[in-house]
Amino acid sequence: MLETKVVCIQCGREYELSAAISGCETCDGLLEVKHNLEALKGVITREWAEKRRVERGFPNGSGVWRWRELVAPFPNEAIVSRNEGNTNLYEDARLAKWAGLENLWLKHEGENPTGSFKDRGMTVGISHANWIGAKYVACASSGNTSASLAGYAARAGLKALTFIPSGKVALGKLSQTMAYGAKTVQVEGSFDDALELVRRVSKEKGMYLVNSLNPFRLEGQKTIIFEALQQLDWQAPDWIVVSGGNLGNTSAFGKALWEMRELGLIGEKLPRIATIQAEGASPFYQYYRSEFTRFKPQKPETVATAIRIGNPVNLAKARRAIEWTDGVVDLVTDIEIMEAKAVLDRSGIGGEPAAGATLAGVRKLREKEIIGKGDLVVAIMTGHILKDADSIVNYHSNPANPGANPLVQMAGTLDDLMKLLEDN
């Protein structure tokens, strides 16, 4: 356990694994978990990973904790798990054709226990809180984080407090949070305002903060990439595409790929990361367009509530990930997001609007010929189709929307109805 440290990526200050802090006390830089990769070389192998996958004993039954040496070496009794991870990798010829590709795979993180990728990070964050004896855990959220925090806190028997932007959280996500028992506070303003408030409250009241400032959260999210590569028999894709809000996944994916290369699990050439933002919440895209010279927070607005964030906290880590992988950042409109989501849903796979942003981004990058037709692409579906049911009904209620499937009003005789169905 002593070989794993928490390190500031800016000034290099080291902290013990048991430290309950979310930012460097010296320079306020971002913290990350640093593993002794040199000691793990020759231990973490493809054969080791396959043996862990087959065994599936606790905590190895979790798609996160079977990678525990690369996540966090907590004792078994501290781990709070719901066998998260182990999500499917889908191939669908219709979606590939729609995106203009020959080799498209979709990693569906909506299959996690509370319905989003957040569970992978939350099991690690809550396990750390449990291990160090925290009693109260807190977060700000645009929806998925609060649902996941509430579920895992309930599992651990911890008190939970969530701050959400008033009127800006999808009902499905809010209902999960309330059902699991978290105290929920609505804040006037955006997610960024809620995060500023929860950081102050956590510091003043000694609550354990579980937003993605928490370095353990991102260690869990790394396992999306570990798992996807293993599912592809270690054939590294050309591209990994993911929607971006607070940029935790972009950051985690870059670290995962770097660690896998260091351990010899993949070759020297890393898959390129493409981060897709919504047009109305695209500060990272604008930063990328300036060649990472000018960053300006935004007042965010997009139908994809999961990525409605105007001042992402993981900016430095996400920039590093894009630079490490020769990646790109692009944006899509809300119309493009919902059209892609409709296509995704009609494939029988489905996903939240932020997953639609990923798929829309894949298509856009292909149209720009940044992604080649024959490139192997892994697209990350961030959340379950029912995470934002209102957006689905609103979209399909307008017959003018591409792929809309409006409700049919029963009128007249059964023969009239059958004719209507035949005509459609």
Side-chain angles (χ1 to χ4, degrees):
M1 189 176 295
L2 294 178
E3 292 184 339
T4 301
K5 296 284 187 180
V6 176
V7 181
C8 174
I9 69 168
Q10 185 166 305
C11 72
R13 178 175 172 178
E14 294 187 353
Y15 297 86
E16 293 298 322
L17 197 64
S18 57
I21 56 174
S22 55
C24 181
E25 294 175 339
T26 299
C27 69
D28 201 34
L30 293 172
L31 302 179
E32 73 176 2
V33 179
K34 186 174 183 180
H35 306 283
N36 187 343
L37 298 181
E38 195 62 36
L40 293 174
K41 286 181 180 178
V43 176
I44 307 296
T45 63
R46 295 180 182 183
E47 294 74 22
W48 172 93
E50 183 61 18
K51 185 172 184 291
R52 280 283 180 90
R53 185 189 68 81
V54 172
E55 285 177 349
R56 293 181 64 84
F58 182 83
N60 301 335
S62 162
V64 171
W65 290 107
R66 63 187 174 90
W67 303 95
R68 64 188 303 169
E69 289 83 350
L70 289 172
V71 174
F74 302 150
N76 278 1
E77 59 271 18
I79 292 174
V80 182
S81 173
R82 293 183 58 191
N83 285 358
E84 51 289 313
N86 299 311
T87 60
N88 285 300
L89 195 64
Y90 292 97
E91 189 177 28
D92 188 284
R94 295 164 297 178
L95 294 178
K97 182 179 180 180
W98 184 83
L101 294 172
E102 295 173 351
N103 300 294
L104 175 64
W105 292 90
L106 293 89
K107 180 72 168 161
H108 205 329
E109 291 301 296
E111 296 174 348
N112 276 290
T114 75
S116 83
F117 73 89
K118 301 287 187 177
D119 294 345
R120 288 185 185 260
M122 200 59 65
T123 181
V124 188
I126 294 297
S127 293
H128 185 248
N130 193 42
W131 179 49
I132 66 174
K135 303 299 182 185
Y136 224 126
V137 293
C139 76
S141 179
S142 56
N144 283 331
T145 300
S146 62
S148 185
L149 169 71
Y152 278 81
R155 181 77 170 159
L158 300 176
K159 294 180 180 179
L161 177 67
T162 69
F163 291 81
I164 62 172
S166 181
K168 300 291 185 179
V169 174
L171 187 59
K173 301 172 185 180
L174 177 59
S175 62
Q176 281 183 286
T177 304
M178 296 172 69
Y180 286 129
K183 298 294 184 184
T184 305
V185 179
Q186 297 190 84
V187 177
E188 291 297 329
S190 68
F191 163 84
D192 305 293
D193 297 313
L195 180 59
E196 182 180 349
L197 180 59
V198 77
R199 291 182 73 177
R200 190 169 79 239
V201 170
S202 297
K203 186 174 182 179
E204 292 178 2
K205 301 300 181 181
M207 295 181 181
Y208 185 94
L209 185 62
V210 201
N211 278 100
S212 58
L213 282 164
N214 183 313
F216 298 103
R217 279 275 312 277
L218 301 192
E219 293 305 292
Q221 288 166 222
K222 289 188 319 186
T223 62
I224 297 172
I225 302 303
F226 297 161
E227 194 174 281
L229 269 288
Q230 188 176 21
Q231 288 170 318
L232 290 170
D233 293 326
W234 303 103
Q235 179 186 2
D238 297 291
W239 291 91
I240 297 169
V241 185
V242 64
S243 56
N246 226 6
L247 304 177
N249 274 338
T250 299
S251 304
F253 293 0
K255 188 170 187 283
L257 292 170
W258 186 83
E259 290 176 346
M260 293 173 82
R261 182 176 63 185
E262 290 297 299
L263 292 170
L265 292 171
I266 58 175
E268 283 297 311
K269 184 180 179 182
L270 296 181
R272 299 178 72 183
I273 294 175
T275 301
I276 309 300
Q277 294 210 288
E279 183 178 46
S282 55
F284 190 50
Y285 169 76
Q286 303 301 336
Y287 187 40
Y288 170 78
R289 289 278 293 174
S290 76
E291 297 183 343
F292 294 131
T293 59
R294 296 184 304 278
F295 174 75
K296 183 179 179 181
Q298 292 181 348
K299 184 177 180 180
E301 187 54 59
T302 173
V303 69
T305 56
I307 55 174
R308 189 190 282 154
I309 296 170
N311 190 16
V313 297
N314 290 298
L315 193 70
K317 290 181 181 179
R319 171 183 174 174
R320 183 180 68 176
I322 295 297
E323 292 176 336
W324 273 348
T325 65
D326 188 27
V328 300
V329 185
D330 213 328
L331 55 74
V332 289
T333 66
D334 278 3
I335 292 173
E336 290 170 327
I337 288 171
M338 292 308 296
E339 180 182 352
K341 173 175 160 48
V343 174
L344 176 64
D345 294 346
R346 289 296 289 270
S347 74
I349 297 173
E352 66 177 357
T358 299
L359 186 59
V362 172
R363 189 186 202 193
K364 190 168 188 177
L365 292 174
R366 173 67 197 111
E367 288 172 346
K368 291 181 175 182
E369 298 187 346
I370 295 173
I371 293 179
K373 184 176 182 180
D375 287 353
L376 176 58
V377 178
V378 174
I380 309 301
M381 304 293 100
T382 50
H384 193 277
I385 188 174
L386 293 180
K387 278 289 188 175
D388 195 344
D390 288 350
S391 70
I392 300 173
V393 175
N394 292 337
Y395 181 84
H396 289 286
S397 294
N398 184 354
N401 287 328
N405 182 27
L407 288 168
V408 176
Q409 182 67 38
M410 180 66 180
T413 67
L414 184 58
D415 287 340
D416 292 334
L417 176 62
M418 295 307 295
K419 186 177 185 305
L420 175 64
L421 296 177
E422 289 170 4
D423 291 342
N424 287 276

